[in-house]
Amino acid sequence: MKRVVVTGLGAISPLGRTAADSWKRARAGANGVGYISRFDASQYYSRVAGEVKDYDPLEYFDRRDLRKYDPYIQFALIAAEDAYRDSGLAEAKLDPTRCGVYIGSGIGGISNIEKNVIRLLERGPSRVSPFFLPATIANLASGNVSIRYGMKGPNLANVTACATSTHSIGESFRIIQMGDADIMVAGGAEYPITPLGVAGFSIMRALSSRNDAPERASRPFDLERDGFVIAEGAAVVVLESLESALKRNALIYAEVSGYGYTGDAFHMTAPDPEADGAVRTMEMAIRDAGITTSQIDYINAHGTSTPLNDKTESLGIRKLFGEHADHLAISSTKSMTGHMLGATGAMEFVFTTMALKEGFVPPTINLENPDPECDLNYTPGKGVERELTHALTNSFGFGGTNGALVVSRFMAD
C-alpha cells in the first residue's frame, strides 16, 4: 500500500483564523473560550462558547455567495483555502481526477434550518429560501470545496458526531493507500453556536455551566470539570501519496501511519465505562501503523471536560499502555479551543502534526485540581519541549463511534 503524508494544514478556530495562528496560540496556552456573543443567551443553562472571534463573512465572500453557504460551509471553504495555499497545490500541475475531497460535519447547517423554520411558520412556504437545502446538508462542504478547486476524484462526507473529521482523515488515508486518489483534502467543519444548537446540548446538561468564569470553563481531567464548552470552526488538511509529494517537491509535515475505528454498542451518549471501544480503536490504529504501544510518545486526547469522558479515556489509555502510560505525554487542546464537535478531530490532527514537527507538546490549560481517577501526565498549564516520533490522536462521538489516528515524524526510508 502507498505511504501517505501530510502536506498542507488549514484551520479557522476560536484560537485563530489560520492553522498557523491557531497552533501559535495553542503552543502558548491561550484561551479561546468566552461568553456567547451571537445571541442573547441569558436564559440558557450554559452561556459560554468557543466562538471564532470577530468573524465577518464579508471579509471572505460576497453577498450573493453567502445565500448559498451556511456558516459551516464558509468555515470549510476558509480552512480549505488555508490548507490549499499551505500545500502549494495552487502552483502544482494536477490531474483533477486524482484529487478528492472528504469533509464532514456533525450537525451541518443548523443555523439555516432555524432561520427557514421561522420563515415558514411566520410567513408561509413561499418564503423559504431556494438555497435552504444546498446551504444546509452535510455533504455540501465537501461539494463546494471540490467545485472551488476542480477536484474530480472521490467526493465524500461522513457524519459521525464528534469523531467526524477524524474519520474523514482516516478514510482519506485509506483512499490514498489503496491508490484511488493521489491527493485528498480532508477534515471537518461546524457552526453549532446557534439558539437551537446550544439549547439542545444545554438541556442534556452536556455543557459547562461555569458562567461566572468562561475562560476557565473547559478544564479536561480537572476534578471540578462540569461539561464541555461548545465551539465552532473548521480544520482541513491535505493528505498526499508520498510519490506525489516527492514529485512536486512539497513540504512534508508528517506521515499518517495508522487508523482505527470501532463502536461501543453500549449507550447513545455515554462511553462504555470499561473503555472497551476506546481501547480497541487505539489498539487498531497502533497495529495499523506497524508499531507497538511503547513507541507512542504523545497522545492528543479527546479530553472533552465531561466527567465521564475524561475518566473513561484515562482508563482506556492505562489499560492499553500499561506501565508505558506513565511515560506518555498527553494533552487536551479542547481546554483552549472548546469542543468543535465534527471539526474537532481535524483540529487536533493539525495540533498533533505540529507537535511532531516542532517537538513540542501543547498544554492542557485549567487543569488545577487533578481528578484522582485521571492519573496520567496531561501536560498541565504549560507546554513542554520533547522529541516526538509517533503520536496518537483520539476522537469519540455520540452513538459510541470511535476513531484514532497515528501520526509519525516523516522519515524518507
Side-chain angles (χ1 to χ4, degrees), residues 113-138:
I113 294 173
E114 286 181 26
K115 191 185 309 177
N116 281 281
V117 166
I118 292 169
R119 282 183 184 173
L120 173 67
L121 296 178
E122 293 183 348
R123 303 169 67 186
S126 65
R127 305 306 298 175
V128 171
S129 168
F131 298 107
F132 165 50
L133 287 173
T136 301
I137 56 180

mmCIF file of all heavy atoms in Angstrom, residues 113-138:
data_model
loop_
_atom_site.group_PDB
_atom_site.id
_atom_site.type_symbol
_atom_site.label_atom_id
_atom_site.label_comp_id
_atom_site.label_asym_id
_atom_site.label_seq_id
_atom_site.Cartn_x
_atom_site.Cartn_y
_atom_site.Cartn_z
ATOM 1 N N ILE A 113 -31.415 25.854 9.101
ATOM 2 C CA ILE A 113 -32.652 25.155 9.477
ATOM 3 C C ILE A 113 -33.473 26.055 10.400
ATOM 4 O O ILE A 113 -34.678 26.257 10.189
ATOM 5 C CB ILE A 113 -32.325 23.811 10.155
ATOM 6 C CG1 ILE A 113 -31.670 22.864 9.154
ATOM 7 C CG2 ILE A 113 -33.596 23.181 10.739
ATOM 8 C CD1 ILE A 113 -31.151 21.573 9.764
ATOM 9 N N GLU A 114 -32.834 26.620 11.401
ATOM 10 C CA GLU A 114 -33.540 27.526 12.327
ATOM 11 C C GLU A 114 -34.191 28.682 11.580
ATOM 12 O O GLU A 114 -35.370 28.999 11.758
ATOM 13 C CB GLU A 114 -32.554 28.089 13.352
ATOM 14 C CG GLU A 114 -32.112 27.131 14.420
ATOM 15 C CD GLU A 114 -31.157 27.817 15.402
ATOM 16 O OE1 GLU A 114 -31.233 29.052 15.553
ATOM 17 O OE2 GLU A 114 -30.346 27.112 15.992
ATOM 18 N N LYS A 115 -33.375 29.316 10.736
ATOM 19 C CA LYS A 115 -33.832 30.519 10.038
ATOM 20 C C LYS A 115 -35.044 30.204 9.149
ATOM 21 O O LYS A 115 -36.038 30.935 9.125
ATOM 22 C CB LYS A 115 -32.680 31.052 9.177
ATOM 23 C CG LYS A 115 -32.903 32.406 8.598
ATOM 24 C CD LYS A 115 -31.763 32.790 7.653
ATOM 25 C CE LYS A 115 -30.389 32.606 8.267
ATOM 26 N NZ LYS A 115 -29.309 32.915 7.312
ATOM 27 N N ASN A 116 -34.987 29.091 8.433
ATOM 28 C CA ASN A 116 -36.051 28.778 7.484
ATOM 29 C C ASN A 116 -37.290 28.193 8.143
ATOM 30 O O ASN A 116 -38.398 28.357 7.616
ATOM 31 C CB ASN A 116 -35.508 27.869 6.387
ATOM 32 C CG ASN A 116 -34.719 28.651 5.346
ATOM 33 O OD1 ASN A 116 -35.301 29.280 4.468
ATOM 34 N ND2 ASN A 116 -33.406 28.648 5.496
ATOM 35 N N VAL A 117 -37.148 27.552 9.280
ATOM 36 C CA VAL A 117 -38.335 27.120 10.027
ATOM 37 C C VAL A 117 -39.108 28.340 10.512
ATOM 38 O O VAL A 117 -40.337 28.392 10.421
ATOM 39 C CB VAL A 117 -37.933 26.210 11.209
ATOM 40 C CG1 VAL A 117 -39.101 26.042 12.180
ATOM 41 C CG2 VAL A 117 -37.487 24.840 10.718
ATOM 42 N N ILE A 118 -38.393 29.348 10.991
ATOM 43 C CA ILE A 118 -39.061 30.576 11.449
ATOM 44 C C ILE A 118 -39.785 31.251 10.275
ATOM 45 O O ILE A 118 -40.935 31.663 10.386
ATOM 46 C CB ILE A 118 -38.035 31.527 12.104
ATOM 47 C CG1 ILE A 118 -37.544 30.919 13.418
ATOM 48 C CG2 ILE A 118 -38.657 32.901 12.340
ATOM 49 C CD1 ILE A 118 -36.347 31.628 14.013
ATOM 50 N N ARG A 119 -39.125 31.341 9.111
ATOM 51 C CA ARG A 119 -39.772 31.938 7.922
ATOM 52 C C ARG A 119 -41.026 31.159 7.540
ATOM 53 O O ARG A 119 -42.059 31.744 7.213
ATOM 54 C CB ARG A 119 -38.805 31.906 6.739
ATOM 55 C CG ARG A 119 -37.752 32.968 6.774
ATOM 56 C CD ARG A 119 -36.909 32.869 5.518
ATOM 57 N NE ARG A 119 -35.820 33.817 5.528
ATOM 58 C CZ ARG A 119 -34.859 33.846 4.612
ATOM 59 N NH1 ARG A 119 -34.874 32.975 3.620
ATOM 60 N NH2 ARG A 119 -33.900 34.734 4.676
ATOM 61 N N LEU A 120 -40.917 29.846 7.544
ATOM 62 C CA LEU A 120 -42.050 29.005 7.160
ATOM 63 C C LEU A 120 -43.238 29.236 8.079
ATOM 64 O O LEU A 120 -44.378 29.416 7.606
ATOM 65 C CB LEU A 120 -41.632 27.532 7.218
ATOM 66 C CG LEU A 120 -42.731 26.492 7.012
ATOM 67 C CD1 LEU A 120 -43.255 26.567 5.578
ATOM 68 C CD2 LEU A 120 -42.214 25.097 7.322
ATOM 69 N N LEU A 121 -42.987 29.268 9.376
ATOM 70 C CA LEU A 121 -44.082 29.398 10.330
ATOM 71 C C LEU A 121 -44.656 30.805 10.360
ATOM 72 O O LEU A 121 -45.857 30.990 10.554
ATOM 73 C CB LEU A 121 -43.598 29.000 11.735
ATOM 74 C CG LEU A 121 -43.157 27.534 11.894
ATOM 75 C CD1 LEU A 121 -42.651 27.272 13.300
ATOM 76 C CD2 LEU A 121 -44.301 26.583 11.568
ATOM 77 N N GLU A 122 -43.796 31.808 10.169
ATOM 78 C CA GLU A 122 -44.260 33.190 10.282
ATOM 79 C C GLU A 122 -44.779 33.758 8.967
ATOM 80 O O GLU A 122 -45.676 34.600 8.951
ATOM 81 C CB GLU A 122 -43.129 34.081 10.809
ATOM 82 C CG GLU A 122 -42.748 33.756 12.257
ATOM 83 C CD GLU A 122 -41.683 34.697 12.782
ATOM 84 O OE1 GLU A 122 -41.076 35.439 11.979
ATOM 85 O OE2 GLU A 122 -41.447 34.676 14.004
ATOM 86 N N ARG A 123 -44.193 33.278 7.800
ATOM 87 C CA ARG A 123 -44.512 33.944 6.525
ATOM 88 C C ARG A 123 -44.992 32.987 5.443
ATOM 89 O O ARG A 123 -45.308 33.405 4.338
ATOM 90 C CB ARG A 123 -43.283 34.717 6.060
ATOM 91 C CG ARG A 123 -42.807 35.734 7.119
ATOM 92 C CD ARG A 123 -41.449 36.312 6.810
ATOM 93 N NE ARG A 123 -41.442 37.146 5.636
ATOM 94 C CZ ARG A 123 -40.346 37.674 5.092
ATOM 95 N NH1 ARG A 123 -39.170 37.443 5.676
ATOM 96 N NH2 ARG A 123 -40.418 38.401 4.007
ATOM 97 N N GLY A 124 -44.995 31.690 5.725
ATOM 98 C CA GLY A 124 -45.533 30.732 4.764
ATOM 99 C C GLY A 124 -44.449 30.062 3.928
ATOM 100 O O GLY A 124 -43.294 30.511 3.887
ATOM 101 N N PRO A 125 -44.820 28.973 3.213
ATOM 102 C CA PRO A 125 -43.831 28.163 2.493
ATOM 103 C C PRO A 125 -43.147 28.893 1.344
ATOM 104 O O PRO A 125 -42.013 28.536 0.972
ATOM 105 C CB PRO A 125 -44.656 26.975 1.988
ATOM 106 C CG PRO A 125 -46.079 27.391 2.066
ATOM 107 C CD PRO A 125 -46.175 28.383 3.171
ATOM 108 N N SER A 126 -43.784 29.896 0.763
ATOM 109 C CA SER A 126 -43.161 30.601 -0.365
ATOM 110 C C SER A 126 -41.959 31.437 0.070
ATOM 111 O O SER A 126 -41.188 31.898 -0.776
ATOM 112 C CB SER A 126 -44.189 31.501 -1.060
ATOM 113 O OG SER A 126 -44.617 32.526 -0.177
ATOM 114 N N ARG A 127 -41.799 31.655 1.350
ATOM 115 C CA ARG A 127 -40.689 32.478 1.839
ATOM 116 C C ARG A 127 -39.461 31.667 2.255
ATOM 117 O O ARG A 127 -38.435 32.234 2.633
ATOM 118 C CB ARG A 127 -41.155 33.335 3.032
ATOM 119 C CG ARG A 127 -42.368 34.184 2.749
ATOM 120 C CD ARG A 127 -42.189 35.074 1.527
ATOM 121 N NE ARG A 127 -41.086 36.025 1.695
ATOM 122 C CZ ARG A 127 -40.646 36.844 0.766
ATOM 123 N NH1 ARG A 127 -41.197 36.790 -0.442
ATOM 124 N NH2 ARG A 127 -39.683 37.683 1.010
ATOM 125 N N VAL A 128 -39.586 30.343 2.165
ATOM 126 C CA VAL A 128 -38.397 29.513 2.436
ATOM 127 C C VAL A 128 -37.381 29.724 1.319
ATOM 128 O O VAL A 128 -37.739 29.766 0.135
ATOM 129 C CB VAL A 128 -38.790 28.022 2.532
ATOM 130 C CG1 VAL A 128 -37.553 27.136 2.593
ATOM 131 C CG2 VAL A 128 -39.660 27.798 3.773
ATOM 132 N N SER A 129 -36.127 29.864 1.671
ATOM 133 C CA SER A 129 -35.097 30.172 0.684
ATOM 134 C C SER A 129 -34.894 29.008 -0.290
ATOM 135 O O SER A 129 -34.818 27.850 0.115
ATOM 136 C CB SER A 129 -33.773 30.457 1.399
ATOM 137 O OG SER A 129 -32.709 30.477 0.461
ATOM 138 N N PRO A 130 -34.757 29.316 -1.595
ATOM 139 C CA PRO A 130 -34.434 28.245 -2.557
ATOM 140 C C PRO A 130 -33.052 27.638 -2.305
ATOM 141 O O PRO A 130 -32.739 26.567 -2.814
ATOM 142 C CB PRO A 130 -34.505 28.963 -3.905
ATOM 143 C CG PRO A 130 -34.315 30.402 -3.596
ATOM 144 C CD PRO A 130 -34.925 30.628 -2.243
ATOM 145 N N PHE A 131 -32.238 28.364 -1.517
ATOM 146 C CA PHE A 131 -30.902 27.844 -1.192
ATOM 147 C C PHE A 131 -30.888 27.093 0.139
ATOM 148 O O PHE A 131 -29.827 26.678 0.595
ATOM 149 C CB PHE A 131 -29.891 29.000 -1.129
ATOM 150 C CG PHE A 131 -29.739 29.728 -2.428
ATOM 151 C CD1 PHE A 131 -30.262 30.994 -2.597
ATOM 152 C CD2 PHE A 131 -29.079 29.134 -3.493
ATOM 153 C CE1 PHE A 131 -30.130 31.666 -3.793
ATOM 154 C CE2 PHE A 131 -28.939 29.794 -4.705
ATOM 155 C CZ PHE A 131 -29.469 31.060 -4.854
ATOM 156 N N PHE A 132 -32.090 26.958 0.739
ATOM 157 C CA PHE A 132 -32.148 26.330 2.061
ATOM 158 C C PHE A 132 -31.445 24.967 2.090
ATOM 159 O O PHE A 132 -30.551 24.743 2.899
ATOM 160 C CB PHE A 132 -33.613 26.190 2.492
ATOM 161 C CG PHE A 132 -33.849 25.258 3.634
ATOM 162 C CD1 PHE A 132 -33.110 25.351 4.803
ATOM 163 C CD2 PHE A 132 -34.809 24.249 3.551
ATOM 164 C CE1 PHE A 132 -33.326 24.480 5.861
ATOM 165 C CE2 PHE A 132 -35.024 23.376 4.602
ATOM 166 C CZ PHE A 132 -34.280 23.490 5.762
ATOM 167 N N LEU A 133 -31.822 24.062 1.216
ATOM 168 C CA LEU A 133 -31.224 22.721 1.269
ATOM 169 C C LEU A 133 -29.757 22.706 0.834
ATOM 170 O O LEU A 133 -28.923 22.127 1.545
ATOM 171 C CB LEU A 133 -32.063 21.742 0.450
ATOM 172 C CG LEU A 133 -33.394 21.388 1.122
ATOM 173 C CD1 LEU A 133 -34.264 20.543 0.207
ATOM 174 C CD2 LEU A 133 -33.157 20.645 2.430
ATOM 175 N N PRO A 134 -29.399 23.353 -0.305
ATOM 176 C CA PRO A 134 -27.972 23.333 -0.664
ATOM 177 C C PRO A 134 -27.071 23.993 0.384
ATOM 178 O O PRO A 134 -25.875 23.714 0.434
ATOM 179 C CB PRO A 134 -27.940 24.120 -1.986
ATOM 180 C CG PRO A 134 -29.315 24.059 -2.518
ATOM 181 C CD PRO A 134 -30.223 24.001 -1.329
ATOM 182 N N ALA A 135 -27.642 24.901 1.177
ATOM 183 C CA ALA A 135 -26.832 25.577 2.195
ATOM 184 C C ALA A 135 -26.789 24.795 3.496
ATOM 185 O O ALA A 135 -26.106 25.201 4.427
ATOM 186 C CB ALA A 135 -27.396 26.969 2.467
ATOM 187 N N THR A 136 -27.516 23.699 3.572
ATOM 188 C CA THR A 136 -27.711 23.039 4.853
ATOM 189 C C THR A 136 -27.124 21.636 4.941
ATOM 190 O O THR A 136 -26.542 21.262 5.950
ATOM 191 C CB THR A 136 -29.232 22.962 5.153
ATOM 192 O OG1 THR A 136 -29.759 24.290 5.171
ATOM 193 C CG2 THR A 136 -29.505 22.288 6.477
ATOM 194 N N ILE A 137 -27.307 20.835 3.895
ATOM 195 C CA ILE A 137 -26.990 19.406 4.038
ATOM 196 C C ILE A 137 -25.491 19.170 4.217
ATOM 197 O O ILE A 137 -24.659 19.955 3.765
ATOM 198 C CB ILE A 137 -27.557 18.580 2.882
ATOM 199 C CG1 ILE A 137 -27.066 19.110 1.533
ATOM 200 C CG2 ILE A 137 -29.065 18.582 2.933
ATOM 201 C CD1 ILE A 137 -27.606 18.298 0.353
ATOM 202 N N ALA A 138 -25.181 18.060 4.865
ATOM 203 C CA ALA A 138 -23.847 17.886 5.441
ATOM 204 C C ALA A 138 -22.753 17.557 4.440
ATOM 205 O O ALA A 138 -21.579 17.613 4.782
ATOM 206 C CB ALA A 138 -23.897 16.799 6.520
#
